[in-house]
Amino acid sequence: MWLYFLKRMALAIAIIAIAVALMFLMIRAVPGDPAAILLGPRSTPEMRALLHEQMGLDKPLVVQIITFFGGLLHGNLGFDVFSQRPVADIVLEQLPFTIELILVSILWAVVVAVPLGCYSAVRRNSFVDQVAGVLAVATIAIPSFVMAVYALLIFAVTLRWLPAIGAGNGFWDGLIHLILPGFAIGVGWVGYISRLVRASMLEILGENHIRMARSFGISEWRIVARYALPLAILPTVTILGVGIAWLLSSAVFIEVVFARPGIGALIVNAVNTRNYPIVMGVVLVTTLLIVTATTLSDLINAFLDPRTREKL
Amino acid sequence: MNNIVGSVSRRTLLKTGAALGGGIIAAGMPLSQTIWAAEGKVLKARAFRELLTLDPGFYGGVADVDVMNCIYSKLTHFKPGTEWGWDLEAAEKIEPVDPTHIRFRLKKGIKFTGGYGELTAKDVKFSFERIIKHKSPVATEWGPLDHVELEDDYTGVIVFKTPFAPAWLISLPYGVGHIVSEDAVMKATGDGSSFGVKPPAFSGPYVIAEWKANEHLLLTRNPDWSGPKPGFDEIRILPIGDEKAAERAYQAGDIDFTRISLDSLASLKTNPPADTTVEEHASLSYTWLGMNLDHPKLKDINVRKAVQWAINVPQILDAAYAGQATVATGLIAPGLVGHRDKALVPPEGDLAKAKEFLEKAGVSDLTLTLDCLNDSTKSTIAQVIQAQLSQIGITVDVKVQDSGSFWTIGSEADGDRWKDMQLIIIEYTMLPDPYYATSSFVSEQVGVWNWQRFSSKHFDELNEKALALDDPSERAKLYREMQDLMEESGAYRFLTHGGTPVMYRTTQIQAATRPDGVPLYLEFKPV
């Protein structure tokens, strides 16, 4: 297990380094001058030259990339040119909002979808199973931002039950502000996870050790909860790890629709204005987030199923 | 370690995971201790983007200045209403001495917070001169400012190298006119350069109680403020970038004042939310179709005239602005000195006349490129122009560009792309003085921001002359003539100033805006 862990960590570091380096090169390959965008149409060539100097853009590309990675080793992601604030501070103060949105979305999806998937598998082809199947496909097909707009119009604008924008203040207010955006992102996952759990549960329920348990007279729900579910949940754990990237892209739209703070809203603005230090900061953090999630899901899988440890 | 791993069962791991997930969510919550004041009058408004900086000497845009108006003093401020004008603010008196000198006398008793003492002429001098000294991106708004002379603690003279009439509506009542404390800024920065988003001292009726990036900005009354008290105890400004999201937030009651999109204007006018006033304001910005005078395909003025006359502006506005924007007659928006009542080419154009010009040029099978930004409005304008020019046999190849690429097309300092540029759709922002627009089209701006490469000695002379005139009607004549010259060159087809409609809840506030719809929060009154 330890060897597997070390290999997996080395791979994660390599992935982060490659992703960040690629992004660094890609944003500089785009034609146009970031200083012209940041300073606007009224800027003079002298002002743009000064900004180039401040952002280090006047130096050769190799020097820029070495400076960036050198700073990274010291935890320095640079400074935002306008606000004069450290990029790390700007990114880290937005990160919790995105993480809480993703976690709430996925948590409520798992809480609803796993029992639903189990029920559908146990009561295969029942009315509930069929309705759940239809709803699952429907919710997967509807993009989260469409769901967000309609949820907002119904529950915030028309009924005024829930707040329309922002992240709230304090724990409970924050939680209330998470209901609509969390619902919008999570609803597609309910359908997806419930179908996934149902399919793998059906497979597990047909295996020999389950038949053996039944022959011992163990109740069906105990078999499902104790013997089948821990195995049937494995594909879901894997999917959730990979799904972080998908959730992050959903969060970008949702943060715009609900005017929520978060790294999605931050990167949209930073990319539009070619604010290189912020773009790099966000890319680094999102890459870390995705690599951490996939690594964690691999480690959990390896823990739950020792056979996977040999596959790296 | 193996023992620890070995003692954790799969079931324990799953349980721990669930508990950790819940814990992380709770820990990640914005556990702000801020309690929104339950009492007092509160103004809830929307900013269309997040703050870039709170340093007036280096401000990034109107969203920054809206806040600066509340937290700093300046010599004069804009009057609310439908006509452009200014009133005294920190100045007790301000008057021109001659075309290059403006004398001001400060009111006594305006205090900086943080124990930085009274606002004096020394702070005015520091605030204005640092903008030039540190080559601020907004230094052009002080034009030919040379220095500020001090006469006593409260009196000073602003000295320009050459006459600068726009100082009254561009420099003094807007962004670069705000006054900061010399002692506080020097202490915070060491050299007087930008202090970013952390003001070292306030001098306006409000102070920043809390700022959470991308969440909200909370302004509360400045306890040291001795001037007239504005109507609200608190101002909460929420950054909402998306216009539609802002409209939904308004409808849900989260904000009481917002700018609205032109797409929504018609429906909100006919069916406004309860207790709401919708106001239409023309924006100051100007959008036009430009032609590169130095490109071989556009050298012949008859080709350029053909393009001008083939374009039907109302058709473009119907498609790109939902029919809610008005036709521009030139660079200068209605209400500003130098606005023209009508353009030389009528808004609808004339296809027959356009074809005549093209025949006169002896051109057939003409293909032109048209560069535009990649936003939906500019792309739609480009598509309509493409269709309109096809009616006179000109094929248009639309090149939609990302902003980084777009804003350097015509710049000689950024390569040779200006040589290939043919047609282009451009929008420039504007401040409330015609100088701000015309100064981009003088000869020395060719290849900088004058991408049409329009060069007229007479235009340049008129631009210089207008800077020295105080009489608005005399200035207006010159600026109208300058726009005529631009249009006669065939290099410009003016399209629109767009619009900045706003809506507000009449049961909560009585709003006050500049003629272009920009809010003046200090003038807002509670209902």
Side-chain angles (χ1 to χ4, degrees):
Chain A
M1 184 68 193
W2 273 108
L3 186 62
Y4 177 83
F5 178 79
L6 290 174
K7 280 183 186 172
R8 200 63 192 79
M9 285 298 119
L11 189 63
I13 291 166
I15 290 170
I16 291 167
I18 291 169
V20 172
L22 275 177
M23 194 65 209
F24 189 92
L25 296 172
M26 275 166 65
I27 57 176
R28 278 158 178 79
V30 177
D33 180 4
I37 301 168
L38 279 166
L39 296 175
R42 293 278 160 184
S43 60
T44 62
E46 294 78 36
M47 290 170 188
R48 280 185 267 155
L50 190 69
L51 189 62
H52 278 160
E53 197 185 318
Q54 286 171 349
M55 294 174 81
L57 297 173
D58 56 334
K59 297 185 178 72
L61 194 60
V62 180
V63 177
Q64 289 182 44
I65 200 159
I66 290 171
T67 309
F68 177 77
F69 276 102
L72 211 57
L73 291 175
H74 295 93
N76 176 13
L77 294 178
F79 282 81
D80 177 31
V81 182
F82 271 107
S83 66
Q84 307 288 316
R85 299 177 67 212
V87 170
D89 287 3
I90 295 173
V91 175
L92 291 178
E93 76 186 10
Q94 298 297 308
L95 187 62
F97 295 103
T98 303
I99 290 180
E100 72 187 20
L101 176 61
I102 289 174
L103 286 177
V104 163
S105 308
I106 210 66
L107 198 71
W108 89 262
V110 168
V111 166
V112 173
V114 172
L116 189 64
C118 291
Y119 187 88
S120 294
V122 175
R123 300 275 187 267
R124 180 172 18 169
N125 297 328
S126 66
F127 176 72
V128 173
D129 180 30
Q130 287 176 358
V131 170
V134 172
L135 285 179
V137 175
T139 53
I140 292 166
I142 300 171
S144 56
F145 68 90
V146 174
M147 193 65 85
V149 170
Y150 283 102
L152 200 150
L153 287 173
I154 294 168
F155 296 106
V157 174
T158 307
L159 299 172
R160 295 208 175 190
W161 288 353
L162 293 164
I165 55 161
N169 288 278
F171 181 80
W172 292 112
D173 195 29
L175 202 58
I176 289 167
H177 278 79
L178 274 169
I179 294 174
L180 285 181
F183 168 77
I185 294 182
V187 72
W189 282 86
V190 173
Y192 191 48
I193 295 172
S194 67
R195 290 291 94 182
L196 200 63
V197 170
R198 179 186 182 274
S200 71
M201 190 65 107
L202 283 175
E203 194 183 324
I204 303 290
L205 287 174
E207 287 190 3
N208 289 340
H209 71 282
I210 300 293
R211 280 206 297 275
M212 173 80 80
R214 281 197 186 109
S215 69
F216 287 159
I218 299 170
S219 74
E220 188 65 14
W221 285 113
R222 190 173 166 80
I223 289 170
V224 167
R226 184 150 187 151
Y227 302 108
L229 185 58
L231 292 172
I233 204 82
L234 284 176
T236 305
V237 173
T238 309
I239 289 295
L240 288 181
V242 180
I244 290 291
W246 186 86
L247 284 162
L248 271 171
S249 59
S250 298
V252 171
F253 290 111
I254 297 303
E255 284 169 3
V256 171
V257 171
F258 289 94
R260 274 184 67 84
I263 54 172
L266 187 68
I267 199 167
V268 167
N269 192 35
V271 167
N272 284 338
T273 56
R274 297 281 181 88
N275 197 336
Y276 283 178
I278 302 275
V279 172
M280 288 311 301
V282 174
V283 167
L284 178 72
V285 167
T286 50
T287 309
L288 267 172
L289 210 62
I290 291 165
V291 170
T292 305
T294 48
T295 307
L296 263 179
S297 96
D298 284 356
L299 290 173
I300 292 170
N301 266 332
F303 185 80
L304 294 173
D305 183 357
R307 290 169 299 178
T308 59
R309 291 174 205 172
E310 311 303 322
K311 290 179 186 168
L312 187 68
Chain B
M1 193 70 195
N2 280 333
N3 289 342
I4 297 169
V5 174
S7 65
V8 179
S9 69
R10 290 171 201 171
R11 187 166 301 279
T12 311
L13 181 79
L14 292 173
K15 281 179 188 169
T16 312
L20 268 176
I24 290 168
I25 292 165
M29 291 287 178
L31 291 168
S32 163
Q33 294 306 305
T34 305
I35 306 295
W36 294 119
E39 292 177 9
K41 294 185 163 41
V42 179
L43 168 61
K44 295 179 289 179
R46 169 234 177 178
F48 65 89
R49 68 156 173 71
E50 184 50 275
L51 286 174
L52 285 176
T53 173
L54 284 172
D55 189 332
F58 300 82
Y59 79 88
V62 68
D64 300 343
V65 180
D66 290 345
V67 178
M68 289 173 193
N69 286 335
C70 301
I71 60 173
Y72 304 116
S73 289
K74 50 195 176 299
L75 295 176
T76 61
H77 62 226
F78 284 119
K79 270 186 195 171
T82 53
E83 287 183 14
W84 288 97
W86 54 268
D87 273 331
L88 295 173
E89 190 175 297
E92 190 177 78
K93 193 177 177 188
I94 187 164
E95 60 188 2
V97 180
D98 60 45
T100 55
H101 292 72
I102 296 172
R103 175 175 285 115
F104 64 87
R105 180 162 183 80
L106 290 168
K107 289 173 185 167
K108 291 180 180 171
I110 301 173
K111 294 259 173 53
F112 286 110
T113 57
Y116 286 103
E118 194 176 7
L119 189 157
T120 64
K122 184 177 71 85
D123 298 305
V124 177
K125 178 182 170 66
F126 171 77
S127 302
F128 297 173
E129 289 180 1
R130 71 192 276 260
I131 295 168
I132 310 297
K133 184 183 166 192
H134 290 281
K135 292 179 183 161
S136 157
V138 286
T140 49
E141 288 173 29
W142 267 116
L145 175 72
D146 191 47
H147 66 281
V148 178
E149 283 172 9
L150 302 182
E151 293 189 343
D152 60 43
D153 282 353
Y154 301 99
T155 313
V157 178
I158 303 166
V159 182
F160 294 95
K161 290 173 193 156
T162 53
F164 191 60
W168 296 98
L169 281 177
I170 287 184
S171 327
L172 292 167
Y174 195 56
V176 294
H178 289 92
I179 304 159
V180 293
S181 158
E182 179 177 11
D183 294 344
V185 173
M186 289 306 288
K187 192 177 172 193
T189 64
D191 61 355
S193 57
S194 174
F195 54 76
V197 287
K198 289 181 182 165
F202 303 100
S203 60
Y206 291 96
V207 295
I208 295 175
E210 184 179 59
W211 177 51
K212 287 190 167 182
N214 292 319
E215 275 191 85
H216 61 254
L217 175 79
L218 174 64
L219 303 176
T220 53
R221 289 191 189 279
N222 178 355
D224 296 336
W225 177 248
S226 56
K229 282 193 172 180
F232 289 92
D233 298 320
E234 282 184 6
I235 302 177
R236 295 175 200 170
I237 299 175
L238 286 81
I240 308 175
D242 184 62
E243 301 275 33
K244 300 288 178 192
E247 289 162 18
R248 288 189 291 268
Y250 179 91
Q251 288 168 329
D254 288 356
I255 49 175
D256 293 323
F257 176 90
T258 181
R259 193 174 83 182
I260 55 179
S261 67
L262 288 171
D263 285 350
S264 309
L265 180 59
S267 65
L268 286 169
K269 272 195 301 189
T270 51
N271 187 22
D275 305 315
T276 292
T277 290
V278 176
E279 285 179 4
E280 291 178 68
H281 299 272
S283 160
L284 291 182
S285 68
Y286 48 97
T287 303
W288 76 97
L289 173 81
M291 294 170 237
N292 183 353
L293 291 167
D294 287 347
H295 195 279
K297 287 184 179 177
L298 293 162
K299 275 273 185 198
D300 187 338
I301 191 168
N302 290 306
V303 176
R304 302 197 298 269
K305 293 265 179 199
V307 173
Q308 279 184 323
W309 283 87
I311 288 173
N312 182 325
V313 181
Q315 269 180 7
I316 293 172
L317 302 188
D318 282 346
Y321 296 86
Q324 298 298 318
T326 49
V327 174
T329 60
L331 304 172
I332 300 163
L336 291 185
V337 167
H339 171 71
R340 295 193 301 178
D341 289 336
K342 58 178 186 178
L344 304 178
V345 180
E348 294 77 13
D350 185 334
L351 283 179
K353 214 162 181 174
K355 282 175 186 164
E356 273 175 35
F357 278 118
L358 212 53
E359 277 170 25
K360 218 186 275 183
V363 173
S364 59
D365 296 331
L366 180 62
T367 300
L368 294 171
T369 61
L370 170 56
D371 292 293
C372 70
L373 265 172
N374 60 356
D375 67 62
S376 64
T377 304
K378 303 299 184 304
S379 309
T380 308
I381 294 174
Q383 283 165 19
V384 178
I385 289 175
Q386 185 183 45
Q388 289 175 346
L389 294 187
S390 73
Q391 293 174 292
I392 59 166
I394 297 177
T395 305
V396 172
D397 176 15
V398 176
K399 293 160 75 180
V400 178
Q401 314 230 15
D402 154 76
S403 59
S405 169
F406 179 84
W407 286 115
T408 50
I409 293 173
S411 166
E412 288 178 14
D414 292 293
D416 286 338
R417 289 198 301 156
W418 62 270
K419 290 179 183 167
D420 298 325
M421 192 196 97
Q422 295 170 23
L423 307 180
I424 187 162
I425 297 163
I426 315 182
E427 178 179 6
Y428 276 2
T429 54
M430 173 69 172
L431 291 178
D433 190 282
Y435 149 84
Y436 201 75
T438 55
S439 59
S440 294
F441 302 97
V442 293
S443 300
E444 68 174 23
Q445 283 288 314
V446 169
V448 184
W449 290 111
N450 177 355
W451 291 358
Q452 291 69 212
R453 310 183 71 78
F454 162 76
S455 179
S456 156
K457 202 176 170 192
H458 186 41
F459 182 95
D460 298 350
E461 285 166 358
L462 292 174
N463 195 51
E464 277 300 310
K465 199 173 161 191
L467 283 178
L469 291 177
D470 285 335
D471 181 3
S473 62
E474 285 300 310
R475 286 187 82 205
K477 271 186 212 164
L478 302 191
Y479 284 115
R480 286 190 196 115
E481 191 183 341
M482 288 159 77
Q483 290 169 90
D484 289 348
L485 288 172
M486 290 174 77
E487 201 174 353
E488 281 163 3
S489 74
Y492 303 87
R493 180 65 157 134
F494 301 111
L495 301 175
T496 184
H497 297 289
T500 43
V502 299
M503 66 178 169
Y504 58 90
R505 215 175 305 282
T506 50
T507 49
Q508 300 293 323
I509 57 173
Q510 185 190 326
T513 63
R514 300 191 326 191
D516 60 347
V518 171
L520 298 167
Y521 293 131
L522 294 184
E523 309 290 335
F524 277 46
K525 303 274 186 293
V527 174

